[in-house]
Amino acid sequence: MAWLPLSVARWFSFALGRLLYLVTPGRRAVAYRNLSLALPETSGARRRQIARGAYDNVGRVLLALARMPGLNSSNIREWIDYEGFQHYDSGIKKGRGVLFLTAHLGNWELSAVAHALHGNPMHVMVRSLDNPLLDRLLESRRTHCGNRTIRKQEFGRGILRALRDNEPVGILADQNISDEHGWFVDFFGLKASASPAFAKVAMRTGATVIPGVAVWRPRERRYVLKFYPPIEMISTGDEESDLIVNTQRCYNGIERMIRDYPEQWLWMHRRWKIRPDGEPSLY
C-alpha cells in the first residue's frame, strides 16, 4: 500500500478490510453483539452494513499508516481538510491548552498527523504495544511530522506539562478500562467502565475540551478533521460530584460522534466487557 499508485492502494485497502471481515469470525461476532446492545433499534441488515463499514475503516487506517511517511505540508490537503477549526483556535487563544477528546473512530492515526502538518503539532497519548517492532514502527509514523507521544506511564506529568505550555493533547478515551481506576458511565444506554482521568485533567487545568475525529467522506474520497463545539466542564465546588458529571459529559460527546458515523467506529472491541458487581457478562 505504500508503493502502489494511490487509486490501486485504496482498492487494496478495501479488499484487505473485507478479507479481515471474513477471516476474523470472533471479532465479527463481537461487533454484531455490540451493535445489538448499543443500537437495538437497527435491523439485522443495517447492523451487517455497519459491521462491514467498520472493517472497511480499518483498511483505510492501515492505508494511511502505510502512506504516512510520504505525507507533508504540501500534499496533506489532498487527504484531509478541516471543519470546525474555529473551536480549536478559540481554545488555544485562551492560553490553557486544548484536550482533544477522540476515539477509535474514523482515521484516528491520520488525525493527529494531519493537524501537525497543517501547522499545529501536538502531543498524543499512546499505550505501548506488546510487540516492540510494531511499537517502534508506529512511533516513527506518529512523530515524523513533529508530534510527540506521551506514554501511559507518563500520563500525568506529560499532559500537565504540555497544557501548561498551551499545547494541544489528543487522547483516545473510548476503550474499556479494566483496572480498579475505572468508573461506570452510561454509554449507549449501558453501563461502561471508563477512566475519569480525562475529565480530572480538564477540571484541574482549565484546558478547553474539544471532541474531534477524522472522518471519511466517500463522495469526496477524502477525510475531514471535524472539531465539535467544546464540552464545558461543570464546576460546583463538589469535586467528586463534578468529576462524575464531567466524565459522563465526555462520554456523551464520544457517543454523539459515534452515532454520527457508526460505520467508522471500532465495534470489534469488547467495550462492555467489565460489568458492575453482580451483573452477568454481556459476551
Side-chain angles (χ1 to χ4, degrees):
M1 288 191 291
W3 301 327
L4 292 169
L6 183 57
S7 59
V8 180
R10 281 177 171 164
W11 177 89
F12 188 86
S13 71
F14 172 79
L16 180 59
R18 290 302 168 100
L19 177 62
L20 290 173
Y21 177 83
L22 293 173
V23 302
T24 57
R27 289 292 177 182
R28 190 171 68 240
V30 170
Y32 285 136
R33 177 59 173 158
N34 282 339
L35 285 162
S36 68
L37 292 168
L39 302 174
E41 71 282 1
T42 57
S43 66
R46 175 60 176 148
R47 291 174 196 169
R48 287 190 293 275
Q49 181 184 41
I50 293 172
R52 285 195 297 268
Y55 275 92
D56 294 346
N57 190 66
V58 170
R60 289 191 296 268
V61 172
L62 294 174
L63 172 62
L65 281 170
R67 310 291 286 217
M68 215 165 268
L71 298 182
N72 54 56
S73 58
S74 299
N75 63 19
I76 188 61
R77 291 189 184 275
E78 298 171 14
W79 282 72
I80 189 169
D81 210 342
Y82 281 108
E83 180 180 313
F85 181 83
Q86 71 273 14
H87 301 308
Y88 168 75
D89 191 46
S90 296
I92 284 295
K93 286 178 179 177
K94 291 179 180 178
R96 295 189 174 184
V98 167
L99 278 171
F100 284 122
L101 177 68
T102 190
H104 292 83
L105 173 68
N107 204 318
W108 58 90
E109 295 292 351
L110 179 62
S111 59
V113 169
H115 195 52
L117 291 176
H118 276 96
N120 306 285
M122 59 185 291
H123 301 259
V124 183
M125 183 72 190
V126 300
R127 182 184 69 83
S128 299
L129 299 180
D130 295 332
N131 186 315
L133 295 176
L134 284 177
D135 194 59
R136 286 197 293 272
L137 176 65
L138 273 181
E139 178 80 5
S140 68
R141 294 289 198 269
R142 290 164 171 164
T143 58
H144 87 280
C145 55
N147 285 338
R148 284 167 283 180
T149 57
I150 300 173
R151 299 283 167 169
K152 185 177 180 181
Q153 56 269 30
E154 303 168 344
F155 179 88
R157 184 170 60 251
I159 291 177
L160 292 175
R161 182 168 54 245
L163 295 176
R164 185 180 62 241
D165 294 338
N166 195 29
E167 295 174 345
V169 178
I171 300 178
L172 292 159
D174 59 326
Q175 298 272 281
N176 178 68
I177 300 297
S178 57
D179 59 27
E180 68 277 7
H181 301 298
W183 288 9
F184 285 101
V185 297
D186 290 323
F187 188 47
F188 285 92
L190 301 162
K191 292 297 181 185
S193 181
S195 172
F198 186 101
K200 183 180 292 187
V201 169
M203 290 165 57
R204 290 186 177 179
T205 62
T208 301
V209 175
I210 299 178
V213 61
V215 290
W216 177 249
R217 290 190 170 169
R219 290 184 179 179
E220 301 171 23
R221 298 196 64 76
R222 66 201 297 258
Y223 289 93
V224 60
L225 183 50
K226 183 174 181 177
F227 295 151
Y228 289 74
I231 297 176
E232 180 184 356
M233 295 290 102
I234 299 300
S235 178
T236 65
D238 184 339
E239 184 174 356
E240 183 172 350
S241 177
D242 289 346
L243 187 55
I244 293 171
V245 171
N246 288 327
T247 299
Q248 183 64 63
R249 288 172 68 84
C250 289
Y251 257 80
N252 291 345
I254 293 173
E255 181 176 333
R256 175 189 171 187
M257 291 191 293
I258 295 170
R259 287 186 180 277
D260 284 347
Y261 305 96
E263 290 94 341
Q264 299 189 42
W265 192 47
L266 198 68
W267 290 98
M268 298 76 87
H269 169 65
R270 291 194 293 171
R271 181 59 191 86
W272 291 273
K273 177 181 177 181
I274 302 299
R275 309 308 309 141
D277 289 342
E279 285 197 11
S281 172
L282 296 177
Y283 298 98

